[in-house]
Amino acid sequence: MANQALMANAIRALAMDAVQQANSGHPGAPMGMADMAAALWGEHLKHNPANPHWADRDRFVLSNGHASMLIYALLHLTGYDLPIEELKNFRQLHSRTAGHPEVGITAGVETTTGPLGQGVTNAVGFALAEKLLAAEFNRDGHAIVDHHTYVFLGDGCLMEGISHEAVALAGAWKLGKLIALYDDNGISIDGKVAPWFIDDTPKRFEACGWNVIGPVDGHDAAAVSAAVAQAKAGEGSKPTLIVCKTQIGKGSPNRGGTAKAHGEPLGADEIGLTRSALGWEHAPFELPEAVYQDWDAKAKGASAEAAWNEKFAAYAQAFPDLAAAFERRMKGELPAAFDQVVVDAVLAAHTKAETVASRKASQLALETLTVQLPELLGGSADLTGSNLTKTAATPDLRFAADGAVVRTEDGRIGRHINYGVREFGMAAIMNGVALHGGFIPYGGTFLTFSDYSRNAIRMAALMKQRVIHVFTHDSIGLGEDGPTHQSIEHAASLRLIPNLDVWRPGDTTETVVAWACALRNKTQPTALLLSRQNLNYAPKDELADISRGAYVLAEPSRVGLKKKAKAVIIATGSEVQLALKAQELLASRKIAVRVVSMPSTTTFDRQDVKYKKSVLPKGLPRIAVEMGSTGGWWKYGVDAVVGIDTYGESAPAGVLFKHFGFTPENVAATVEAVLAD
């Protein structure tokens, strides 16, 4: 019989020792949640330390990521590839034990947590993905998708506004296999939270459609384990919150229960007192063999995965096509026919040469892509009719009273999510869906509201996740809604996020290519910046180079000049048509210019020097045209920018274009002024 008290004390010892050695970190939360962890990881969590990517493992999320030594201790003790040397190297350069858990760095960490509230929101995404995959792939007698999502969270997570978005959606979606354990210790960095956090948390969760268990004594591992068992037994139409009353820094005689235990080392003297209080008479980072034996999950995990492998083999024999599709999607691979689908879609857009808004061009592309890619899971933050993210192949996602996924008359499950007015929650849930595997999530809102989503977008980029953001109404071109809705700085701001690809296509063909690039990119999220207003199709001879982020759209010969270009106009999105019209005006004055369409600066920046020079020849003056902040364009050696560095106005789009100088005449005049210098 495992000694859960000893197991929990091992976590406390490792947490205080690692933080002390690093002289940095948060010992209190891991010490306070140690018994909760012993209950969940010791009795319930289905996982295999030898294979952290096993498809049907339970997912565990430490939403209060400052308590990182909790998960590092758990991974080390249960047998993951995280030796004691890594714990000794906590928070040091290139260690696998960073200050906050980071996916892709530490085996067994499911998501990067640190910004509070996003971990629990990621967990909602994990649970949603599990539920939808189960509905799509499971068959009678063949439940190949059958796992839980567990999340530890604290007061800080619940104070962040995003938690309200996540909790509400989890209840609406009836995520019965989502179980959250709340570390209710009443302490944050500033001290006791009572003066500023008076929410009745259990009632809040109940009001959002959750089961609530407790409060239970979070230091009674048996009671916590019984609560988890109760939550699992009652799964179905409701997620569950288990309220665990704990003491931060449990075991520390002088700092336990105080803010002093939260974010600083206990100190050598207090650690000595804590060792005595716990009866832990071992040197730092020294653990008795009995502890390792009690915690070891390798044999149990291998057995669980082996049983699942047998189940999947039977499934594959009965349903070979479904099994192949499941394996492909969990690996994140696109169908073998995808390249041809893209080629056909690009050629079709090129041939039709339609004049439509790029948001409509995006929907036209999605009409094809969602048929070919059943893993595309779309949605919108209450702007479906404006973002145009829904297609004929993606019915609305709905749930029955018993929690079951509602099917259409022809048996399909919903693949378009109504997130409500919850941009931040949508973005972080999509991160969880992508991390789980099996789906490629995309979601829409207005570009100006990307500010609400920004930190989750940054987290997707940091975690290298394929998440696609559809941002429409990308400029002052949306017109009468005025400056609150008109994006000025947003394109430039998004381009500053490392590892985020940003596309602002100028017509139907560029939009299809942008979608194809986003879908092929397994290690980067993508932001698609799309227009509300119609865009003329830009005739083009070369299609292959669009995917390189920038290409020569029109040489002087297009407008009847046999001269070499004297300048280059660089344009993105709706401003490409301005550049082409300005080229015509300049040609009438015998001034030859090249027009370069640059739908993705981030993609173009990754190209080799030779290609960049072929597009933007050295020595030619350069003029950039974009309805947004001008600052980001100077790195391309431009001589002038036709842009906007003030907020917009409320008026019809055509009036605004003229008012702010987005006319062919002003672009041409700017080119002439540069050439005259």
Side-chain angles (χ1 to χ4, degrees):
M1 183 76 175
N3 185 334
Q4 289 185 320
L6 189 65
M7 292 166 68
N9 284 341
I11 293 174
R12 294 187 173 101
L14 288 172
M16 63 184 183
D17 288 344
V19 171
Q20 184 67 25
Q21 178 147 313
N23 196 30
S24 173
H26 300 75
M31 296 173 72
M33 292 189 288
D35 302 293
M36 295 163 56
L40 177 63
W41 282 62
E43 300 292 335
H44 297 280
L45 194 71
K46 181 177 69 173
H47 64 121
N48 183 7
N51 183 10
H53 302 293
W54 166 34
D56 202 42
R57 68 192 182 280
D58 289 339
R59 270 60 168 184
F60 173 77
V61 176
L62 183 67
S63 187
N64 40 353
H66 57 272
S68 56
M69 267 309 303
L70 175 72
I71 194 167
Y72 297 148
L74 287 165
L75 295 172
H76 169 72
L77 290 166
T78 55
Y80 285 79
D81 182 19
L82 195 69
I84 195 70
E85 287 74 23
E86 289 290 346
L87 275 63
K88 294 178 181 178
N89 210 22
F90 178 55
R91 286 184 166 232
Q92 304 309 301
L93 184 64
H94 302 317
S95 75
R96 284 184 274 161
T97 48
H100 292 80
E102 295 189 32
V103 68
I105 302 297
T106 313
V109 170
E110 300 283 4
T111 180
T112 299
T113 52
L116 292 175
Q118 288 196 60
V120 62
T121 313
N122 293 164
V124 173
F126 280 115
L128 177 64
E130 190 276 342
K131 184 166 187 170
L132 296 182
L133 286 171
E136 184 176 355
F137 286 98
N138 287 355
R139 295 294 184 269
D140 289 344
H142 297 275
I144 62 164
V145 181
D146 185 14
H147 55 267
H148 290 83
T149 299
Y150 298 100
V151 56
F152 280 10
L153 54 88
D155 291 313
C157 294
L158 295 178
M159 283 187 254
E160 285 286 356
I162 191 175
S163 72
H164 291 259
E165 301 180 25
V167 168
L169 285 170
W173 295 338
K174 306 179 188 304
L175 300 179
K177 289 187 176 179
L178 173 62
I179 300 174
L181 288 84
Y182 170 29
D183 176 32
D184 186 9
N185 62 42
I187 296 291
S188 69
I189 291 175
D190 283 352
K192 293 183 179 179
V193 302
W196 57 83
F197 184 49
I198 63 168
D199 302 28
D200 189 329
T201 297
K203 287 184 180 178
R204 170 186 158 191
F205 275 72
E206 287 175 351
C208 289
W210 287 56
N211 294 314
V212 176
I213 298 174
V216 301
D217 181 355
H219 300 304
D220 183 342
V224 175
S225 181
V228 174
Q230 180 184 342
K232 291 165 68 176
E235 69 188 35
S237 63
K238 293 184 178 183
T240 298
L241 176 74
I242 302 172
V243 180
C244 301
K245 289 288 186 179
T246 64
Q247 182 188 71
I248 194 169
K250 175 69 173 177
S252 172
N254 297 308
R255 296 203 171 188
T258 73
K260 278 288 187 182
H262 188 285
E264 59 187 68
L266 297 181
D269 291 344
E270 186 66 15
I271 287 177
L273 293 173
T274 305
R275 278 185 149 76
S276 296
L278 295 174
W280 188 268
E281 304 299 333
H282 306 286
F285 299 104
E286 186 177 288
L287 301 173
E289 185 58 34
V291 166
Y292 281 113
Q293 290 176 359
D294 283 346
W295 270 114
D296 188 5
K298 293 191 291 292
K300 184 179 178 182
S303 176
E305 184 175 0
W308 183 84
N309 287 337
E310 289 184 11
K311 184 185 297 186
F312 188 78
Y315 177 83
Q317 187 170 5
F319 310 100
D321 291 342
L322 282 174
F326 179 80
E327 289 185 306
R328 175 187 68 77
R329 286 171 54 173
M330 292 305 292
K331 291 176 182 176
E333 297 175 351
L334 298 173
F338 179 75
D339 287 343
Q340 189 58 51
V341 169
V342 169
V343 169
D344 293 344
V346 170
L347 289 174
H350 177 61
T351 302
K352 290 180 181 178
E354 292 178 285
T355 295
V356 296
S358 54
R359 61 171 175 161
K360 181 61 178 179
S362 170
Q363 186 183 45
L364 293 173
L366 280 171
E367 289 288 357
T368 296
L369 294 170
T370 51
V371 171
Q372 299 296 327
L373 299 176
E375 59 263 45
L376 274 174
L377 181 64
S380 178
D382 204 48
L383 290 167
T384 300
S386 294
N387 300 149
L388 305 183
T389 49
K390 187 178 177 182
T391 73
T394 57
D396 288 328
L397 178 61
R398 296 290 183 264
F399 300 93
D402 63 357
V405 179
V406 174
R407 297 179 181 273
T408 62
E409 291 183 0
D410 57 0
R412 294 178 297 158
I413 64 173
R415 287 167 55 201
H416 187 272
I417 301 170
N418 299 104
Y419 285 98
V421 188
R422 301 184 180 97
E423 296 88 356
F424 194 5
M426 175 179 71
I429 286 170
M430 289 197 296
N431 289 349
V433 169
L435 286 158
H436 181 281
F439 291 102
I440 301 174
Y442 66 93
T445 187
F446 288 175
L447 178 55
T448 192
F449 302 144
S450 64
D451 286 338
Y452 287 134
S453 311
R454 186 177 180 84
N455 199 262
I457 298 170
R458 180 181 186 271
M459 294 303 292
L462 178 64
M463 295 188 288
K464 302 179 180 179
Q465 294 302 302
R466 181 169 45 186
V467 176
I468 302 171
H469 294 271
V470 178
F471 293 128
T472 66
H473 297 60
D474 69 341
S475 71
I476 60 172
L478 68 87
E480 292 86 346
D481 276 343
T484 61
H485 283 50
Q486 291 167 4
S487 300
I488 303 299
E489 75 279 20
H490 298 80
S493 177
L494 289 169
R495 289 167 183 152
L496 290 175
I497 298 177
N499 203 49
L500 172 68
D501 254 3
V502 181
W503 285 81
R504 189 165 182 256
D507 63 12
T508 51
T509 301
E510 288 187 3
T511 305
V512 173
V513 171
W515 265 106
C517 289
L519 291 166
R520 288 193 180 107
N521 198 337
K522 295 175 67 174
T523 59
Q524 286 183 277
T526 298
L528 303 177
L529 282 45
L530 308 172
S531 74
R532 177 197 185 210
Q533 72 274 25
N534 285 348
L535 308 181
N536 294 327
Y537 183 79
K540 49 184 68 69
D541 298 322
E542 179 57 59
L543 300 179
D545 286 342
I546 299 174
S547 63
R548 304 187 76 167
Y551 64 102
V552 178
L553 174 61
E555 292 284 25
S557 57
R558 168 187 168 269
V559 287
L561 292 182
K562 296 183 179 179
K563 300 178 180 180
K564 288 186 177 180
K566 297 296 184 181
V568 179
I569 303 176
I570 310 166
T572 78
S574 53
E575 291 74 83
V576 170
Q577 50 193 308
L578 287 181
L580 291 172
K581 290 176 182 177
Q583 184 190 43
E584 294 170 5
L585 282 176
L586 290 165
S588 70
R589 301 165 196 170
K590 306 304 180 184
I591 300 173
V593 297
R594 166 186 284 188
V595 174
V596 167
S597 178
M598 191 179 286
S600 177
T601 64
T602 54
T603 303
F604 180 67
D605 289 348
R606 294 196 299 272
Q607 304 307 308
D608 59 77
V609 173
K610 182 179 179 181
Y611 181 74
K612 289 179 182 178
K613 287 183 176 179
S614 73
V615 175
L616 302 176
K618 187 176 181 180
L620 282 185
R622 302 168 186 176
I623 298 87
V625 186
E626 184 173 59
M627 280 192 255
S629 301
T630 61
W633 286 104
W634 303 105
K635 69 177 179 177
Y636 296 108
V638 298
D639 298 271
V641 183
V642 179
I644 177 170
D645 288 315
T646 63
Y647 293 109
E649 295 276 358
S650 179
V655 175
L656 293 175
F657 296 156
K658 185 175 181 179
H659 176 73
F660 287 106
F662 292 103
T663 64
E665 292 78 12
N666 187 48
V667 174
T670 303
V671 173
E672 289 182 299
V674 167
L675 291 175
D677 282 348

